[in-house]
Structure formats: structure tokens, C-alpha cells
Amino acid sequence: MENTKDLTEHSSRSERKRRDSFGMFDGYDSCSEDTSSSSSSEESEEEVAPLPSNLPIIKNNGQVYTYPDGKSGMATCEMCGMVGVRDAFYSKTKRFCSVSCSRSYSSNSKKASILARLQGKPPTKKAKVLQKQPLVAKLAAYAQYQATLQNQAKTKSVAVSVEGFSWGNYISSNSFIAAPVTCFKHAPMGTCWGDISENVRVEVPNTDCSLPTKVFWIAGIVKLAGYNALLRYEGFENDSGLDFWCNICGSDIHPVGWCAASGKPLVPPRTIQHKYTNWKAFLVKRLTGAKTLPPDFSQKVSESMQYPFKPCMRVEVVDKRHLCRTRVAVVESVIGGRLRLVYEESEDRTDDFWCHMHSPLIHHIGWSRSIGHRFKRSDITKKQDGHFDTPPHLFAKVKEVDQSGEWFKEGMKLEAIDPLNLSTICVATIRKVLADGFLMIGIDGSEAADGSDWFCYHATSPSIFPVGFCEINMIELTPPRGYTKLPFKWFDYLRETGSIAAPVKLFNKDVPNHGFRVGMKLEAVDLMEPRLICVATVTRIIHRLLRIHFDGWEEEYDQWVDCESPDLYPVGWCQLTGYQLQPPASQSSRESQSGSSKQKKKAKSQQYKGHKKMTTLQLKEELIDGEDYNFLQGASDQESNGSANFYIKQEP
């Protein structure tokens, strides 16, 4: 008979929901108080306090539903102590949050469990075993939410003092614009961001509320900045008093309708509770025709943050002390697709190198031998336990090139970004032609006699340009060190050196529709110290080449970077992945460190990937000590970063 009543009551509630054509608002029903439920003396519940006069109510089809205020419409599980929405609880009496709690209550541990809960002690071991994992997660989330409410003001002040930087405040106070997520194909959601834009509605936690449980409300996107969104609760109209920034990919951001499907209460912010008596009708009117996140948005976020590289994988990577060769390194950790690589010979595991998994600086084991690149053999003769070679297919592929016809030749001149000083484009020479389109290049005027400071670029690399590129695009070209015939003229220099320029047609001319604009904010790797990711700005765009400025630092530390570089990220990437973001350098801190800081920065600008550029003598001495091998050319299909266009003159 009791089962029949339960079914009847369930059917009645289902019928009410079906009559509401806006299924997304069923979350309101989960806030209702079941006034028809009754219990025996054994199943008596706590007396429900009268409703406060200022508590907003919703009337629908003659039924009166109240928002939870701590007791009204709420229930406490008599087995585990969980507090939740009454209608979401199990059975007609709403005494238990789940079937397992109902069953365990009637077990031999019943009395002990109740006594422990009443005394504020943890449940018995048997009770813990009987709890479902989702329930444990709910309890943890509830406890965390309570702590958040109690320390909200304190947390905000701590966040400012500890982190020292807020993208939201930085963008709002300066009216900055951030590069959209779609500019970063390698970043999470970069290829499936969709049409997320201003006015999209989401369901978010309601922080303007003093209820003991976590409740939600609907908000609209006022402004987008990368992954970050400035949100405004529905009902505030043009009032920005409670606007707040959050990461749209965060776990607390949901599409409209999520609360209804999950049994979570929708509660209007306390500040505007008085504005409407029928909040449900208000939401129906406001949300009709509005856009929200895709239902599988959180799943897509999770999937886009799965990375194939794992710790203990072995790779070949550029030797940060000798650009001309590679070494074996082991993946130590993976954060957001960025790899911390530890050189295999490092005994204390501090000799490391940071790069993205799509970086052109890493390759599969055997790559150097296959193309004829110089390689430093590891002192470790046997592979360590647990270490294994990274499958070659995980590395990004380079574009195939045809070297059988007219091709680059040794001695040809070109312009190239100096990897030891990424703010400059220099006069350079092709010193060696390797297999599969790879070239060894040296910077004129600063090369070691033994070629120990040559560096490897692919023929399609966006870091090399034909002669005249800088002049056409009004970029300052750095002449060879010691060259006195200034201003530098390519025609004179080629005649004096008896050399020829690399044919323009051999350079890649592709320019993607990248979407970057001058002034856009982003997070960028400081390639002179690649463990650091900094607040940065796009200051120039030359076809696919971007000039990246690190906010707070002088222009001499700017870096030229390709638009598809895996070392650029949307605003909010560090927060999303848990990576530490370096805030802009303040004027006061720069002045206080004017001596040591400038010297350090100057040294940093002469490094490659975090280490000082060595003199010719130092390089020679270390190369004599190290075991260096030059492999014969073979075959490989590994990667570079893209290509560049050089024909169109563009104003700075």
C-alpha cells in the first residue's frame, strides 16, 4: 500500500513537470516542501519552523514552493547526516538520502550510527562502507561550500595578496581585450569553442546567499577574455554591482537546465529577491530564445585536457647549453600539455628543460641519427627501469618538402630569428643541409669556428625569412657583429661576402587566418626562461609573425613568435591547468631591482631556453669534454612550427 502511494506521488510530480514546457525550470520543484508527507512516532522528524516573511516563494498550478532557508524544503539524512533538498531524498518520508543509507539504518549498526551522529562523531566503519561514493563526494562538496561561505571575504583578500594578480581586474580597469580561445588551436577547447560569446546564459553558484547549502542562479556573459568570463546574475539588468569573473571551463559553470536535471535549487540573489514575486515567469521570459553552453561542454573540456605524453617517456631534445646538438631527456611531468623534461644524465634531476609537447625542439628517439643531426650520447648505457621511448606518432609532423630540385645550399644567406635573443631578426647563413628539410643555421658575426652554436630550423619554419623581409616589413634587421658599413644593405653585403641569397620561393608562404589583433592580451612563455608563463600583449603583427611584449618589462625583452606557436595561451590557461602565472612587473619592483635585475635580464636575453649564451672558448672546452656524434643523413618525418609569407608589404 505504501509503495502504491509512493508511485502515485511520483506520478503527480512528474505530471506537473510535463505541464511545464520549459523543462530547464524543473529545478524549482526540487526546492518544494512536501506538505503531504507524514510519519509515525518512530519516524518523526524535526519540527519545521515557520517560513520567514521575506522568503521568496513560487506559485505554480496552485502549488506553493519555497526556497530552502535551512529547514523549509530541506532534509537531513538520519544515517549519514547529509543535508539536502527534501524532494531529492529517498522514499516518502524523506529520511534518507539514498537506498544504501535506508538499508544500513535498519542494520545492526543502526543505533551506533545514530548515536555517533548525534554526538558529532564520525560514522562507524560499517556505515562508511555502506555509503555510496557519490554521497561521499556530496558531503565533501557541502563542507567545502560551507567553509567558502564563512571565509568568503577573507578568501578574496588572500587571493589578491597571495596571487598578486587578477586577470579580471587587470582587464576591466584598463579596458583591455584578450585574444579569443579560437586563436590557440593547441590549447584546451581551441578547436571546439563554438559560438560562446556575450549574452550566453549559464548556471553558476549563487554567492549572494546565506543558505547552508550550495545553491545556484542563472547568469549571463557580459564580457569574454580568453577562458575568463565576466558574469552578471539574471535580474540585475544594468546593475554591475555584483558582476564577477570566473573561468568558463571551471567545474562550477553549467548550461541552463543542469540544475533541473541534477536536482539542484535555483535561488535568486538576496540583493534582488524583492524585485519579483514570480521568479519562474521572469526566467521563462528572459531565457526564451537565449543561448547556453552545449550539454556536453564539461565533457569536451575534460577530453581536450587529456595528453598523450606521460612521465617516464624518453625523447630527444635540444641541448640547452649547445644548440647544435640534441640529448636524451625523460618526461618528468605534464601540465596542460607542457612537459618538464629532465636530461637523462642528471643525477639530482634538476637539469631540466620546459617545452610544449608540440614544440619543434623535441623529437622521437633516433631522430638525430635519421637526419644527420649532431647528438650527444648519454653517459647512461642502459635504459633505466620504467623509462620507455615515446612512440614517434605522438610528435607533430613537419610538412613534407621536395629536396630533389632547387633547394637550399650551404652558404646561402637569409634572415632568421636569433634563438639566443628572440627580440632580434639577424643576418644568417645556411651552414649545413640535413635530411627531411632540416637546416643548420648560424648567425653571421657571432659564430664559433667549430659550429658549436649553430641551430636547427626546418625549411618551413616561421623563424626564417628571405633576404629583404625585414626591410619590406619595416623591421629592424640586426647586422653581423662588427660590421661597420652601416646602414646595412643586403646588396653590398652579398657582394662583399661573395654569397647568394636563398631563393624566395623556397620559403613557406602560408599565412593562416589566425585572428590575433594588435593590443590583445594573452599568456605567453618567456622562451628565455621557458618554465615561466607571463602576462603578455601582442604589439605587432607581420603576416603570421607576432611581436610579444611582456607587460611591465622593457621592449628589449620582447620576442618574435609565430601565430601558431604552442608557447602562446589564452587568458585563463594557467588557472585552468594549475600552472603558475607570472604577473606584470610593477614600476616600483623594477626600480628597486634596477641594478641586479637588469643584469639578470641582460644575461637572460643571451640565453637559449633558460641558460646563458656561452663564449666561443667555453663552448669549445665543453664540446671537447662531451661525447658528440654527427650521424649520417637518413629519413625522418618530424616537426616544425609552420611557415611564413614574405611577399606582402605590411605597415607596422
Side-chain angles (χ1 to χ4, degrees):
M1 184 68 179
E2 183 175 342
N3 290 338
T4 304
K5 290 181 179 180
D6 286 345
L7 290 173
T8 303
E9 183 184 26
H10 178 74
S11 300
S12 176
R13 288 200 303 269
S14 299
E15 181 62 26
R16 290 201 307 272
K17 292 183 178 182
R18 280 195 298 270
R19 286 198 299 265
D20 185 355
S21 59
F22 290 87
M24 64 181 69
F25 305 117
D26 290 345
Y28 278 109
D29 293 342
S30 67
C31 301
S32 64
E33 179 181 11
D34 192 345
T35 55
S36 63
S37 61
S38 59
S39 60
S40 62
S41 59
E42 182 182 353
E43 298 176 345
S44 62
E45 302 180 8
E46 294 180 356
E47 182 179 353
V48 177
L51 299 180
S53 58
N54 62 344
L55 187 68
I57 61 174
I58 295 175
K59 296 181 179 180
N60 183 34
N61 298 325
Q63 302 283 344
V64 179
Y65 302 94
T66 65
Y67 291 103
D69 64 347
K71 288 187 178 181
S72 305
M74 305 300 290
T76 302
C77 180
E78 296 185 17
M79 180 62 204
C80 69
M82 175 187 172
V83 178
V85 179
R86 184 188 301 276
D87 276 3
F89 270 44
Y90 176 68
S91 81
K92 184 184 74 172
T93 59
K94 311 299 180 187
R95 296 174 57 203
F96 308 107
C97 64
S98 64
V99 177
S100 62
C101 279
S102 175
R103 290 175 179 171
S104 60
Y105 184 89
S106 60
S107 68
N108 293 333
S109 62
K110 168 183 172 182
K111 293 182 179 179
S113 298
I114 296 175
L115 182 61
R117 182 174 64 81
L118 293 176
Q119 293 177 346
K121 298 178 181 179
T124 62
K125 292 183 178 179
K126 185 172 183 180
K128 284 184 179 179
V129 172
L130 291 169
Q131 290 180 8
K132 291 183 177 180
Q133 184 60 33
L135 179 58
V136 177
K138 289 178 182 178
L139 288 169
Y142 175 65
Q144 182 181 9
Y145 180 67
Q146 281 187 315
T148 301
L149 286 177
Q150 294 172 0
N151 299 292
Q152 192 172 25
K154 182 179 178 181
T155 301
K156 288 182 178 179
S157 61
V158 170
V160 172
S161 60
V162 173
E163 297 176 3
F165 178 76
S166 165
W167 263 122
N169 294 337
Y170 191 57
I171 288 177
S172 296
S173 59
N174 297 282
S175 300
F176 290 141
I177 298 175
V181 174
T182 52
C183 290
F184 310 86
K185 305 303 181 186
H186 59 280
M189 301 299 292
T191 58
C192 53
W193 189 247
D195 56 353
I196 299 175
S197 58
E198 295 177 4
N199 297 320
V200 165
R201 305 303 206 282
V202 292
E203 293 180 351
V204 295
N206 177 5
T207 57
D208 184 27
C209 182
S210 57
L211 300 180
T213 61
K214 189 173 186 176
V215 295
F216 293 79
W217 190 240
I218 294 171
I221 297 178
V222 177
K223 183 174 183 177
L224 266 180
Y227 293 117
N228 293 349
L230 180 63
L231 299 180
R232 180 174 299 168
Y233 289 122
E234 283 295 335
F236 275 83
E237 307 300 338
N238 296 322
D239 182 2
S240 60
L242 284 184
D243 288 3
F244 60 98
W245 286 90
C246 69
N247 195 302
I248 206 71
C249 295
S251 58
D252 269 338
I253 311 300
H254 307 281
V256 172
W258 178 84
C259 284
S262 306
K264 304 293 183 182
L266 282 169
V267 180
R270 180 174 48 188
T271 305
I272 57 170
Q273 284 180 356
H274 65 280
K275 291 185 66 175
Y276 299 95
T277 56
N278 190 339
W279 280 99
K280 186 169 186 177
F282 167 80
L283 289 182
V284 170
K285 181 178 179 180
R286 289 285 296 173
L287 299 182
T288 300
K291 293 181 180 180
T292 188
L293 299 177
D296 59 346
F297 184 76
S298 61
Q299 180 182 347
K300 286 184 177 179
V301 172
S302 178
E303 291 174 353
S304 67
M305 295 181 68
Q306 302 300 314
Y307 307 103
F309 281 79
K310 307 297 179 185
C312 297
M313 285 184 170
R314 300 170 78 239
V315 301
E316 286 186 11
V317 63
V318 66
D319 186 339
K320 63 186 180 182
R321 293 185 179 87
H322 307 289
L323 309 187
C324 63
R325 68 187 185 189
T326 57
R327 296 168 63 184
V328 174
V330 179
V331 177
E332 179 75 12
S333 59
V334 183
I335 303 178
R338 290 188 59 76
L339 312 178
R340 178 178 180 258
L341 304 173
V342 176
Y343 289 113
E344 200 167 48
E345 311 95 287
S346 177
E347 295 181 359
D348 59 359
R349 308 193 70 76
T350 58
D351 190 8
D352 62 359
F353 181 89
W354 281 91
C355 68
H356 192 271
M357 63 182 184
H358 292 155
S359 170
L361 301 173
I362 60 171
H363 310 276
H364 65 83
I365 298 297
W367 173 83
S368 297
R369 180 185 297 273
S370 70
I371 71 162
H373 193 283
R374 190 178 291 181
F375 175 78
K376 181 182 185 297
R377 189 175 66 181
S378 173
D379 296 332
I380 300 175
T381 57
K382 186 178 180 181
K383 193 184 302 182
Q384 296 185 22
D385 292 341
H387 293 178
F388 58 100
D389 295 351
T390 306
H393 71 271
L394 296 186
F395 298 87
K397 303 297 186 294
V398 293
K399 184 182 296 185
E400 292 185 3
V401 294
D402 181 12
Q403 297 183 223
S404 60
E406 186 177 7
W407 192 241
F408 293 100
K409 292 181 174 60
E410 291 183 17
M412 283 183 172
K413 300 294 183 180
L414 71 165
E415 298 175 4
I417 296 175
D418 184 354
L420 299 176
N421 186 0
L422 294 167
S423 66
T424 62
I425 299 178
C426 305
V427 174
T429 304
I430 297 173
R431 293 304 180 186
K432 189 176 182 181
V433 179
L434 308 179
D436 295 339
F438 288 95
L439 310 169
M440 295 302 295
I441 296 173
I443 300 297
D444 285 21
S446 59
E447 296 178 68
D450 58 0
S452 55
D453 56 355
W454 296 349
F455 48 91
C456 184
Y457 280 147
H458 193 265
T460 61
S461 170
S463 297
I464 60 174
F465 318 95
V467 164
F469 172 82
C470 286
E471 182 180 0
I472 291 173
N473 292 287
M474 302 180 68
I475 300 173
E476 182 180 357
L477 176 67
T478 302
R481 184 179 302 173
Y483 189 75
T484 58
K485 194 174 180 180
L486 301 176
F488 179 85
K489 297 293 183 182
W490 263 115
F491 180 80
D492 295 337
Y493 185 70
L494 291 174
R495 184 181 57 188
E496 292 168 5
T497 57
S499 50
I500 62 173
V504 175
K505 65 180 180 180
L506 298 182
F507 295 85
N508 194 305
K509 298 176 286 293
D510 295 339
V511 179
N513 184 18
H514 48 69
F516 286 103
R517 298 291 180 269
V518 172
M520 284 183 170
K521 298 292 179 181
L522 70 163
E523 298 176 4
V525 176
D526 181 351
L527 292 172
M528 293 293 96
E529 197 168 345
R531 65 184 177 85
L532 302 180
I533 297 182
C534 311
V535 173
T537 307
V538 177
T539 57
R540 283 196 71 183
I541 301 175
I542 308 296
H543 312 305
R544 65 179 301 147
L545 194 62
L546 309 179
R547 180 82 170 180
I548 301 299
H549 173 73
F550 297 105
D551 290 19
W553 292 101
E554 291 82 359
E555 292 183 2
E556 61 184 290
Y557 309 124
D558 291 0
Q559 296 177 2
W560 288 108
V561 181
D562 182 60
C563 65
E564 294 183 344
S565 169
D567 294 309
L568 303 178
Y569 304 99
V571 165
W573 181 89
C574 283
Q575 179 187 3
L576 177 63
T577 60
Y579 206 97
Q580 183 176 355
L581 176 67
Q582 304 299 314
S586 63
Q587 182 67 30
S588 58
S589 65
R590 288 202 308 271
E591 291 175 353
S592 65
Q593 302 174 8
S594 58
S596 59
S597 230
K598 285 184 178 179
Q599 290 178 0
K600 181 179 178 182
K601 272 287 186 175
K602 187 174 181 180
K604 190 180 89 169
S605 68
Q606 295 175 345
Q607 306 167 18
Y608 183 67
K609 313 301 178 185
H611 282 260
K612 291 181 68 176
K613 182 178 180 182
M614 302 180 183
T615 63
T616 302
L617 179 61
Q618 288 176 307
L619 287 168
K620 286 181 179 178
E621 289 174 349
E622 293 206 12
L623 281 173
I624 291 174
D625 295 336
E627 294 187 71
D628 215 11
Y629 289 86
N630 236 341
F631 291 124
L632 296 177
Q633 295 184 3
S636 176
D637 57 353
Q638 297 314 303
E639 111 44 89
S640 179
N641 218 4
S643 53
N645 185 2
F646 314 104
Y647 297 112
I648 305 171
K649 184 172 181 179
Q650 180 167 323
E651 296 300 326

